[in-house]
Amino acid sequence: MSGGDGPHTSGRTMSGEDRPRVGLVLGAGGILGGAWLTGALAAVAAESGWDPGSADYIVGTSAGSMIGALLACGVPPWFMVAHSAGETFDGLTDARGASAAEADRSAGASFRLERGGFTLGPGSWRLAVASLARPYRYSPMAVLSGWLPRGVISTEPLKDTIRRACAEDWAPHPNYWAMAVDYATGRRVAFGRPGSPAARLPDAVAASCAIPGFYRCVEIGGRQYVDGGVYSTSNLDVLRAEELDLVIALNPMSSLHAAAPRTVAQRVAFQLRQAAGRRLGHEAKRLRAAGIEVILIQPTVLDLDVMGGNLMSSKRRHQVIETAIDTVTDHLRGSEVGERLGRLPAGDQRLVRRPSGPPSAWPDFRAAARARWPDALAA
């Protein structure tokens, strides 16, 4: 959908009591799925004036956990776009005091072998045997994941990206959840949610991103964890019991506009997207049954053409970001979704749009992120 009159940012004021409680769910999708999320979030912020990082809950799965963690730590979508484009930021430092220009521009998508090398046999004997005995209790991905060999790619670059954004043990956001799967039981875990195992933010995000058979699984508290997408690429329904008015879900792995596949690779990708879409629709129904409004934003055919079949390729990463900005902007302008998002409270403009002046004059985004939640941080 296209048309309309641009951003909806004027004339909106809400008291704290009237402010809607919003959840933001960011789905799985590999390197290029993370790129699509970056562009989509930048478009949402620019068109609506709302700060995605101000959502009351941020739930991320795999690539979505990485982008969600950056949001929760105060990295604005517009900055992610500029950084990916190769801009330098003289005078700007990260959470460790290093120059922001030195940060990996691929959001951790640098692949190197894990020490210890290859191992034979299933990555999780317990999950493999349990899923063989009772396959109906596990998702198809969980069944496959147990039998895949243990991954050999290190998750340290993923952790390093998070360390540059947050020097503390966890994000300043009071309700940031990183979705992962216990590699022994196949059960999903929402790191950051009360009652879940304690974890440092870099480890939780790495666990959420640890694709079985590719990345080495991540040990937290003596247990092994892998990609949250093994359970669900969206994990939208994890918010069904929360007191929310609206949940906005951006899901790179599904699409309402997928073209008919022509090659074997396209057929496989088409089937995966169909399965992800069915799961997303089922989870959305559960939230709506609980009285929560749900908005779904998914890639278009144009996005899928640029993303291609290999979601772990970094060659087209910035092209995917730019395409997502265009397609999501077109979708929001003049649409009911755009109008609905335009009614959300206007966010801190430092986190919504790029400030004027040189980077050395920009505000401290980490401080701005903490200012979103003064009561939670004071508790």
Side-chain angles (χ1 to χ4, degrees), residues 306-353:
V306 177
M307 293 167 78
N310 181 9
L311 294 178
M312 296 303 290
S313 171
S314 59
K315 292 181 180 179
R316 302 178 305 282
R317 185 174 181 275
H318 194 69
Q319 186 181 358
V320 169
I321 291 175
E322 292 180 325
T323 304
I325 292 174
D326 292 340
T327 59
V328 174
T329 297
D330 286 345
H331 175 63
L332 296 181
R333 288 184 176 175
S335 72
E336 292 182 3
V337 171
E339 291 174 2
R340 178 66 183 92
L341 296 181
R343 294 196 297 272
L344 293 174
D348 185 330
Q349 290 302 294
R350 297 172 297 177
L351 300 170
V352 172
R353 293 184 176 85

Side-chain angles (χ1 to χ4, degrees), residues 21 24 55-59 72 170-177 191-194 239 242 373 376:
R21 287 179 56 78
L24 178 67
D56 296 274
Y57 288 79
I58 298 177
V59 176
W170 200 257
H173 194 291
N175 294 305
Y176 166 71
W177 299 352
F191 287 112
R193 180 168 64 178
L239 290 175
E242 306 304 324
W373 316 106

Side-chain angles (χ1 to χ4, degrees), residues 110-114 151-156 214-217:
S110 299
F111 305 135
R112 63 171 183 258
L113 292 178
E114 175 73 25
V152 297
I153 302 300
S154 172
T155 58
E156 279 304 310
F214 184 77
Y215 282 115
R216 183 62 55 93
C217 52

Side-chain angles (χ1 to χ4, degrees), residues 132-153:
L132 186 64
R134 296 182 177 87
Y136 53 85
R137 296 183 57 181
Y138 303 90
S139 71
M141 278 303 301
V143 174
L144 175 62
S145 298
W147 289 98
L148 287 173
R150 188 152 298 198
V152 297
I153 302 300

Side-chain angles (χ1 to χ4, degrees), residues 220-378:
I220 297 175
R223 300 190 68 84
Q224 305 290 335
Y225 294 92
V226 292
D227 195 316
V230 167
Y231 187 93
S232 165
T233 62
S234 43
N235 286 298
L236 179 64
D237 60 334
V238 77
L239 290 175
R240 67 187 181 280
E242 306 304 324
E243 296 182 358
L244 295 172
D245 300 297
L246 171 67
V247 169
I248 304 163
L250 285 74
N251 202 52
M253 282 297 294
S254 58
S255 177
L256 296 175
H257 310 285
R262 294 185 298 271
T263 66
V264 173
Q266 288 175 344
R267 283 196 290 271
V268 171
F270 182 76
Q271 292 296 327
L272 290 174
R273 289 192 178 278
Q274 278 197 320
R278 286 193 296 268
R279 181 62 185 250
L280 179 67
H282 174 71
E283 293 171 356
K285 275 187 178 180
R286 299 188 71 181
L287 264 68
R288 288 169 178 145
I292 301 173
E293 181 184 359
V294 179
I295 288 177
L296 305 178
I297 301 177
Q298 304 169 76
T300 68
V301 170
L302 292 175
D303 295 299
L304 299 182
D305 284 345
V306 177
M307 293 167 78
N310 181 9
L311 294 178
M312 296 303 290
S313 171
S314 59
K315 292 181 180 179
R316 302 178 305 282
R317 185 174 181 275
H318 194 69
Q319 186 181 358
V320 169
I321 291 175
E322 292 180 325
T323 304
I325 292 174
D326 292 340
T327 59
V328 174
T329 297
D330 286 345
H331 175 63
L332 296 181
R333 288 184 176 175
S335 72
E336 292 182 3
V337 171
E339 291 174 2
R340 178 66 183 92
L341 296 181
R343 294 196 297 272
L344 293 174
D348 185 330
Q349 290 302 294
R350 297 172 297 177
L351 300 170
V352 172
R353 293 184 176 85
R354 181 174 182 150
S356 59
S360 58
W362 289 350
D364 185 339
F365 301 126
R366 291 183 293 277
R370 284 161 174 75
R372 296 168 175 149
W373 316 106
D375 295 339
L377 293 174

